[in-house]
Structure formats: structure tokens, C-alpha cells
């Protein structure tokens, strides 16, 4: 068994609203508890971490991910065998073999979203490792929902305190209707979990906007036109470039993000280019708001 490495890591912020590079550690081998604590602290500070130049097989990726908690089984298994040796790994790819996709999401744009916010418990974080990347496109954007809340105009703050939003489960982040679901004309009829619009992070105790995804979202108890208007204002604010950072992928990049306080999206790319990623996610918790964390002077 490998001796856990006590790495002399450095954390280098991107200079944007979120994100940092962690350098000085190779994750193909186990890391010490002290090194893990440094990485976890950096994650809570910067929301998104990037480890460049990694050489990870699936067991190494899963070993590192499990340090952050129990892992979910992959929700979709396009192209994977029934007897999957690594059921916690989701293949994200546009590659086809014998005309069949080996992974999910294809080459399409993925709109701003929080992973699986339509569930009662949402993943606390995800890890995405790049094996093949296209020469252009396929970049992943992240947006800081702490800052979105901190800078939200006072009138909008008052509007959303105590309000809850239903998160539609019928479509994926590429806008595709999921198997077994019917198309929805009225967001009030959409299936999915109901969560507070303002949530408290259980580790940092900071508050952040929690929007999930825009399509078919509905703010409970409001007339539909008022819900739509309020959501449009919140989304226009939360997706401003000042809150964003974009990951331009290189093969060997591992990026992990905090699903509780960072939204993400993906650019489309040339379908004739190859993109192959392995993804895993850390099991979830139920979003909540703790009023004791609210600065009443704001």
C-alpha cells in the first residue's frame, strides 16, 4: 500500500470571482490527512479548484473524491456496461463507437445550473477529470453565488427572504426532456423538489442564492407572472460576468466545484472534435436557510 504523501502544496487564486489552482500534488497516489485539510480549506475558500497535469485512472479519481464524502452512483449510464466496475463514474463525451454514444451530454451547450437541484438532497460537489479535449470550445463556466447574494439589491433581498422555489426535474442541463417525463407548459405543474431561494452553506455558514436552473422554475405561492418576473431579475443578476470564471480545459485537468454555492455551465463545441471526461459527485445534503446567519443591517 502506498504511503500517503504529505505534499507541499500552493493555492493560487485565479484572480476572478472564484477558482484557484492547487499545485504541488499528484493525486494518482494517496494524500495525507494534513494535505487533504489544506485542499478542503482551499475548496471552501475558492469554491472551485483545479489540479493540472494529473494522471488519474478511475480508482485514483474515486479514492480522492471519497475523501469529501460518500459518492453517488452515476445517474445516467449511456454507453456503460450493465456490470460497471465503477458505478460512481459518469462518462461525459460526444464520442460514438459503432454509432452509439459512449457518454452523456454530447457536444451541446449546457446552460447555467446547479447539479441535481431538483432532488430533495443535492450533491455537495462534483469532480470532473479531462481525458480528451477539443481544440476549441467546451469550456466550463462557474459563477459565485455568495457574491450574487452579497451584491443583490436590497429590494430583491426583501422579496426572496422566506420564499421557496420548485426546481424542475423534467429536463437536463442541455434542455433535453428526460426519459419518462412529459413536456410542461406551466411551471406550476413541473415536477421537482422545493428549496429556499437563499441557502446557508453548512460548513462556511455563509448565505448564497440557490437558483438551480431557470427553465420551468417557479417561486411557490406567487402568481405565475410575478414568479417569472422575480426569477428573471434574480437570474439577470446572478449570471453577470463579474461573478464568473471559465475553465479552459487541457487533458489531465481535474476540476472540482462546490455545488452548494457555485453554478456552472458549458460552451458547445464542434461535434467532429472529441471530448472525453470522467465525472463523479459527492452525495448530497438538503438545502436550508439559517436565519441566524442573516445580517439584519443589510
Amino acid at each position: 500500500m502506498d504511503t500517503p504523501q504529505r505534499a507541499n502544496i500552493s493555492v493560487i487564486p485565479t484572480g476572478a470571482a472564484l477558482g484557484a489552482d492547487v499545485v504541488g500534488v499528484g493525486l494518482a497516489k494517496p494524500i495525507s490527512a494534513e494535505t487533504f485539510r489544506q485542499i478542503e480549506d482551499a475548496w471552501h475558500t475558492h469554491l472551485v479548484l483545479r489540479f493540472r497535469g494529473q494522471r488519474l485512472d478511475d480508482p485514483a479519481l474515486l479514492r480522492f473524491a471519497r475523501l469529501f464524502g460518500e459518492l453517488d452512483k452515476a445517474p445516467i449510464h449511456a454507453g456503460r456496461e450493465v456490470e460497471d466496475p465503477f458505478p460512481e463514474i459518469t462518462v461525459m463525451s460526444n464520442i460514438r463507437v459503432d454509432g452509439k454514444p459512449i457518454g452523456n451530454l454530447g457536444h451541446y451547450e449546457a446552460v447555467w445550473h446547479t447539479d441535481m437541484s431538483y432532488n430533495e438532497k443535492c450533491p455537495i460537489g462534483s469532480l470532473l477529470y479531462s481525458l480528451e479535449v477539443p481544440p476549441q470550445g467546451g469550456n466550463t463556466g462557474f459563477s459565485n453565488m455568495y457574491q450574487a447574494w452579497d451584491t443583490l439589491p436590497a429590494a430583491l433581498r426583501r422579496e426572496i427572504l422566506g420564499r421557496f422555489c420548485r426546481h424542475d426535474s423534467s429536463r437536463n442541463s442541455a434542455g433535453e426532456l428526460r426519459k419518462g417525463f412529459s413536456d410542461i407548459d406551466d411551471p406550476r405543474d413541473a415536477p421537482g423538489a422545493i428549496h429556499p431561494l437563499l441557502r446557508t452553506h453548512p460548513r462556511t455558514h455563509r448565505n448564497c442564492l440557490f437558483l438551480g436552473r431557470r427553465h420551468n422554475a417557479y417561486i411557490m405561492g406567487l402568481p405565475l407572472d410575478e414568479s417569472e418576473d422575480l426569477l428573471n431579475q434574480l437570474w439577470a443578476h446572478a449570471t453577470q460576468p463579474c461573478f464568473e470564471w471559465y475553465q479552459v480545459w487541457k487533458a489531465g485537468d481535474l476540476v472540482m466545484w462546490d455545488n452548494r454555492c457555485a453554478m456552472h455551465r458549458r460552451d458547445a463545441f464542434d461535434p467532429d472534435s472529441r471530448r472525453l471526461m470522467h465525472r463523479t459527485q459527492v452525495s448530497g445534503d438538503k438545502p436550508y436557510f439559517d436565519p441566524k446567519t442573516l445580517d439584519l443591517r443589510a
Side-chain angles (χ1 to χ4, degrees):
M1 181 178 294
D2 292 330
T3 302
Q5 57 178 314
R6 182 177 177 181
N8 183 22
I9 68 169
S10 298
V11 178
I12 304 171
T14 63
L18 70 172
D21 280 297
V22 179
V23 299
V25 62
L27 300 175
K29 295 182 179 180
I31 60 174
S32 68
E34 180 182 346
T35 299
F36 169 70
R37 283 193 296 270
Q38 290 178 277
I39 291 172
E40 187 178 39
D41 287 346
W43 191 43
H44 289 148
T45 299
H46 299 286
L47 289 63
V48 181
L49 297 181
R50 177 173 63 190
F51 305 80
R52 301 212 106 149
Q54 301 296 314
R55 296 185 177 182
L56 303 179
D57 56 16
D58 284 344
L61 174 60
L62 293 174
R63 180 181 60 236
F64 177 63
R66 287 193 179 103
L67 296 175
F68 297 88
E70 182 180 350
L71 302 184
D72 288 335
K73 296 289 180 65
I76 305 173
H77 270 281
R80 303 299 292 268
E81 297 296 332
V82 175
E83 296 297 328
D84 191 341
F86 305 111
E88 303 90 353
I89 296 287
T90 302
V91 176
M92 313 300 292
S93 183
N94 67 315
I95 300 170
R96 289 177 174 267
V97 175
D98 296 328
K100 297 181 180 180
I102 68 167
N104 302 288
L105 204 57
H107 66 279
Y108 306 106
E109 175 188 4
V111 298
W112 286 112
H113 66 285
T114 297
D115 285 333
M116 303 180 75
S117 66
Y118 48 83
N119 288 340
E120 290 296 325
K121 292 185 176 181
C122 314
I124 69 170
S126 296
L127 297 89
L128 188 60
Y129 178 61
S130 58
L131 295 160
E132 296 184 57
V133 298
Q136 294 183 15
N139 301 331
T140 304
F142 299 94
S143 187
N144 187 328
M145 293 296 99
Y146 289 140
Q147 290 190 9
W149 164 251
D150 290 343
T151 59
L152 194 68
L156 283 178
R157 284 187 169 213
R158 291 191 294 269
E159 279 289 322
I160 71 170
L161 283 178
R163 294 200 182 277
F164 290 75
C165 182
R166 179 183 287 124
H167 297 240
D168 174 37
S169 60
S170 68
R171 290 183 178 272
N172 66 19
S173 57
E176 300 166 326
L177 190 67
R178 289 191 171 94
K179 186 177 180 180
F181 286 88
S182 300
D183 205 3
I184 303 298
D185 294 324
D186 188 330
R188 291 172 293 189
D189 298 328
I194 297 170
H195 299 305
L197 279 165
L198 178 65
R199 75 175 292 182
T200 303
H201 195 292
R203 292 291 298 273
T204 67
H205 306 294
R206 295 180 64 187
N207 292 319
C208 57
L209 284 182
F210 191 63
L211 299 178
R213 61 192 69 199
R214 179 64 185 92
H215 187 75
N216 279 340
Y218 170 65
I219 299 177
M220 306 300 293
L222 289 182
L224 183 57
D225 60 342
E226 293 183 19
S227 170
E228 291 290 294
D229 180 64
L230 183 51
L231 284 168
N232 286 340
Q233 293 182 68
L234 293 173
W235 277 92
H237 176 78
T239 55
Q240 294 179 81
C242 60
F243 304 135
E244 298 172 5
W245 171 72
Y246 272 79
Q247 153 71 351
V248 180
W249 290 94
K250 296 181 179 179
D253 284 352
L254 173 66
V255 172
M256 61 179 298
W257 62 92
D258 193 323
N259 196 51
R260 297 163 287 195
C261 52
M263 288 199 302
H264 61 285
R265 64 172 300 277
R266 189 190 78 181
D267 293 333
F269 59 96
D270 184 344
D272 293 326
S273 298
R274 291 169 60 98
R275 188 178 194 264
L276 176 61
M277 309 276 188
H278 281 193
R279 175 186 176 278
T280 191
Q281 66 186 31
V282 185
S283 296
D285 54 15
K286 185 172 176 59
Y288 71 94
F289 169 62
D290 181 357
K292 296 192 296 295
T293 62
L294 190 65
D295 185 349
L296 297 178
R297 296 169 299 174

